Amino acid sequence: EAGVVQSPRYKIIEKKQPVAFWCNPISGHNTLYWYRQNLGQGPELLIRYENEEAVDDSQLPKDRFSAERLKGVDSTLKIQPAELGDSAVYLCASREDSYNEQFFGPGTRLTVL
Amino acid sequence: GQQLNQSPQSMFIQEGEDVSMNCTSSSIFNTWLWYKQDPGEGPVLLIALYKAGELTSNGRLTAQFGITRKDSFLNISASIPSDVGIYFCAGQSNFGNEKLTFGTGTRLTIIP
């Protein structure tokens, strides 16, 4: 069974440019998470979806970050405009309803110049 | 955002040695989780703990849920080269829906 798929794996952009990350969770996983992992730190939650509903977006910087999961399957996280401090690895994870384990994708490493 | 305190920050050991690391929090958690992250990959769950005082093993890994519910410990016995990586603890207030609060990580390096 395929794991969580993320693309692109790497992205380099100049500051003030927009960027988008895509995540396809494990089939049948209704809960989807976006995390940001700064260098030398553990992941921090940005947003959690239950199907197509964002049920926890309290940590999402809404002035420049947005996310969507229109059909309750794959999801897109967008930053517009990007700032130097947004350089990080953006991880997507998904979870099946009856289990506690979150399965993480490989992440997208963003570098903002 | 909040990050749990994890120590040591890094470890340099020889193959075959045992490893111990711990994680502390100012808040109580009802679930403690331990993850391993390899370079260029996402974290992978190693052990989950759901009860204060619980001691759980997964092969050469043993983890304990602290009795105060504010700490957890991970031990690795007889380390092997594939144990190299970054180990993260994570606390969770409630099963499933609550977000994970991760520690700052312990980087394990095995000296040849």
Side-chain angles (χ1 to χ4, degrees):
Chain A
E1 181 182 359
V4 177
V5 178
Q6 290 189 247
S7 69
R9 292 295 309 273
Y10 305 91
K11 189 74 175 179
I12 301 174
I13 62 172
E14 293 188 343
K15 62 180 181 182
K16 300 185 181 180
Q17 294 300 307
V19 65
F21 315 124
W22 177 80
C23 171
N24 190 29
I26 294 172
S27 177
H29 285 197
N30 293 326
T31 305
L32 183 147
Y33 309 79
W34 282 102
Y35 288 85
R36 176 169 59 188
Q37 185 174 22
N38 293 316
L39 186 65
Q41 300 289 319
E44 293 181 279
L45 181 70
L46 292 174
I47 189 168
R48 171 169 64 92
Y49 280 93
E50 296 288 341
N51 298 300
E52 66 274 8
E53 182 182 359
V55 295
D56 183 359
D57 63 356
S58 57
Q59 305 298 314
L60 190 71
K62 298 181 183 64
D63 56 336
R64 297 182 300 107
F65 286 66
S66 64
E68 60 183 18
R69 193 185 184 199
L70 295 176
K71 296 183 179 179
V73 181
D74 56 349
S75 176
T76 302
L77 177 68
K78 298 178 181 178
I79 308 174
Q80 183 172 12
E83 297 179 351
L84 295 176
D86 295 332
S87 295
V89 174
Y90 291 84
L91 293 163
C92 179
S94 69
R95 182 181 65 82
E96 188 178 355
D97 287 348
S98 302
Y99 298 93
N100 197 35
E101 182 173 359
Q102 296 181 26
F103 291 86
F104 285 82
T108 296
R109 180 177 295 277
L110 173 68
T111 301
V112 181
L113 303 176
Chain B
Q2 178 191 9
Q3 295 256 302
L4 305 179
N5 295 316
Q6 217 173 314
S7 66
Q9 189 174 15
S10 60
M11 302 183 72
F12 296 85
I13 63 168
Q14 291 189 325
E15 184 176 350
E17 288 187 26
D18 296 343
V19 172
S20 293
M21 61 189 77
N22 68 77
C23 187
T24 59
S25 169
S26 58
S27 307
I28 289 174
F29 289 108
N30 292 318
T31 300
W32 281 94
L33 305 157
W34 284 92
Y35 286 82
K36 179 175 183 278
Q37 187 172 26
D38 292 327
E41 300 296 329
V44 174
L45 182 65
L46 299 173
I47 291 181
L49 302 157
Y50 298 107
K51 187 177 179 181
E54 178 182 358
L55 188 70
T56 297
S57 294
N58 179 8
R60 294 177 297 104
L61 277 61
T62 301
Q64 184 162 23
F65 191 141
I67 199 70
T68 66
R69 293 194 283 161
K70 292 184 177 181
D71 56 7
S72 181
F73 307 87
L74 176 69
N75 295 315
I76 306 172
S77 63
S79 58
I80 60 177
S82 62
D83 292 334
V84 167
I86 303 177
Y87 291 80
F88 289 99
C89 62
Q92 189 178 37
S93 297
N94 294 298
F95 179 95
N97 287 338
E98 279 292 320
K99 70 176 183 179
L100 298 177
T101 300
F102 281 85
T104 48
T106 293
R107 181 182 294 273
L108 179 63
T109 302
I110 295 183
I111 305 169

